[in-house]
Amino acid sequence: MIYLTGDTHGGIDLRKLTGPEVTGRLTAQDYLIICGDFGFIWKNKHESHKEKGWLKWFSRMPWTTLFVDGNHENFPRLAEYPERAWNGGKIHEIRPHVFHLMRSQIFTIEGSTFFTLGGAASHDRGPAVGDHTIEGRGWWAEEIPSDEELHQAADVLQQHNSKVDFIVTHCLPTSMQKIVKGDAFHADKLTEFLEEVKNHTQYQHWYCGHYHKDLDLCDNISVLFNRVVLLGDTVSATPPLLGEPIYRREDRVVFLKDGEVFCGTVKNIYPWGKLKIKGQPAYDILEDGENERTEIMPEDTVLGHSI
């Protein structure tokens, strides 16, 4: 089976993969796709001791780890790993069973086709002094695909008659990014290219990371962060993480109550549960409507952000 999740950031957001829900479930027949910001190839020049340790951990896991690149990757170092053909496309082999799915490729995995195009613009540089403001230390110009890579992406899609089963990227098309981030993130040549892909390509489902949210959008597009989902399913394959709530105050959410779907606004958060809600975060959600009732809801009943 094939599972997908969001950014891991070199271990900062790896907890979703280290629990028994993943390590005790996935087998040698399974694949796990990380939708960018893998982040374990980060330090300048060589693998650090920490990176080696985590890459060894991934290689010892029974499943095969696949990732597209995000914006938080050391691209010069990533390009130094051996390149080889795999399942119809090109990969960088980081370790046995740990592969970087290169840009502008179409892979066939378990009988399904996957178009991959990593990269995204870093929006966290800002004016503050720090490593992530410095090109070549915290970000690299290669975070945005080159014109050649975008031309290659267009060509490979055309060769497949603009039809694939699944699309895996790090960022969203422009129109979808605007829904998620409003004017906080600006369009660029990559999001505009992905907009063209969305409008002219047939696909079953599109998965991305980047936005540190878990939500499902229109046009069969899912944003992943803490969720680990089974391919073709938008329901998390792992339970919510105790002490690490997904949603924030004033988030607009969709939630399930008594078998019916409601919309509301998060007013309070209980990271470690509440009353009879054990083992997962809980929320006070102000339900839309004339009554304006506040409901205490466990996180596994919250279906995603409301658009």
Side-chain angles (χ1 to χ4, degrees):
M1 292 188 286
I2 302 171
Y3 295 85
L4 301 97
T5 192
D7 313 14
T8 47
H9 296 122
I12 295 173
D13 292 302
L14 190 70
R15 184 181 171 187
K16 59 202 168 201
L17 302 183
T18 58
E21 302 84 6
V22 172
T23 59
R25 175 182 300 196
L26 275 65
T27 71
Q29 285 71 49
D30 295 325
Y31 298 88
L32 175 70
I33 301 176
I34 298 170
C35 296
D37 279 5
F38 181 62
F40 290 96
I41 300 162
W42 182 253
K43 295 297 183 181
N44 286 325
K45 297 184 180 179
H46 306 291
E47 291 177 357
S48 68
H49 179 74
K50 179 181 177 182
E51 288 174 350
K52 287 180 179 179
W54 278 119
L55 291 172
K56 185 176 182 180
W57 181 86
F58 275 105
S59 66
R60 285 182 170 179
M61 291 298 104
W63 66 81
T64 296
T65 300
L66 311 172
F67 68 94
V68 299
D69 52 273
N71 52 296
H72 292 130
E73 320 283 3
N74 185 326
F75 291 96
R77 275 195 50 211
L78 190 58
E80 292 175 353
Y81 286 89
E83 179 183 320
R84 68 178 180 88
W86 181 80
N87 287 23
K90 294 180 180 179
I91 63 165
H92 286 119
E93 185 173 16
I94 311 303
R95 291 289 191 279
H97 308 298
V98 183
F99 303 152
H100 168 225
L101 302 176
M102 294 175 65
R103 295 172 176 175
S104 311
Q105 306 296 307
I106 292 181
F107 300 90
T108 300
I109 309 172
E110 291 193 345
S112 295
T113 52
F114 292 77
F115 170 68
T116 59
L117 183 58
S122 291
H123 297 272
D124 56 354
R125 296 180 216 158
V129 175
D131 279 356
H132 59 255
T133 69
I134 302 172
E135 183 176 358
R137 188 175 296 177
W139 71 277
W140 287 261
E142 297 95 323
E143 66 182 22
I144 296 293
S146 65
D147 291 342
E148 181 181 355
E149 287 172 319
L150 296 181
H151 288 314
Q152 182 185 353
D155 288 344
V156 74
L157 285 171
Q158 187 175 23
Q159 291 166 17
H160 285 75
N161 299 314
S162 298
K163 184 177 181 180
V164 293
D165 294 315
F166 300 99
I167 296 176
V168 182
T169 63
H170 186 53
C171 66
L172 286 165
T174 298
S175 62
M176 296 294 103
Q177 180 171 269
K178 188 170 182 63
I179 289 173
V180 175
K181 299 300 295 184
D183 294 328
F185 284 14
H186 301 297
D188 54 53
K189 72 176 184 179
L190 175 56
T191 66
E192 291 288 86
F193 178 82
L194 294 177
E195 186 71 19
E196 291 297 309
V197 172
K198 182 176 79 72
N199 292 335
H200 298 101
T201 305
Q202 289 181 267
Y203 61 89
Q204 294 180 30
H205 211 99
W206 185 317
Y207 299 93
C208 77
H210 191 42
Y211 303 97
H212 298 190
K213 293 177 179 288
D214 288 287
L215 65 159
D216 300 308
L217 304 171
C218 58
D219 297 325
N220 291 345
I221 297 176
S222 292
V223 180
L224 303 177
F225 185 39
N226 281 320
R227 286 189 296 176
V228 181
V229 299
L230 181 63
L231 184 72
D233 195 354
T234 58
V235 178
S236 177
T238 57
L241 296 175
L242 186 64
E244 295 187 11
I246 294 173
Y247 305 98
R248 299 293 180 260
R249 287 184 179 85
E250 303 304 322
D251 276 2
R252 297 272 301 138
V253 296
V254 180
F255 62 99
L256 190 66
K257 183 182 70 171
D258 299 328
E260 295 186 36
V261 175
F262 296 85
C263 294
T265 303
V266 175
K267 291 300 180 182
N268 288 299
I269 304 169
Y270 306 98
W272 303 99
K274 174 75 170 177
L275 300 175
K276 295 181 179 180
I277 300 172
K278 307 295 185 182
Q280 62 176 299
Y283 303 91
D284 285 336
I285 300 178
L286 181 62
E287 182 183 321
D288 290 353
E290 296 180 359
N291 294 330
E292 292 191 337
R293 292 181 301 179
T294 299
E295 302 283 351
I296 300 177
M297 305 301 299
E299 189 166 276
D300 62 7
T301 65
V302 182
L303 305 179
H305 287 82
S306 175
I307 303 302

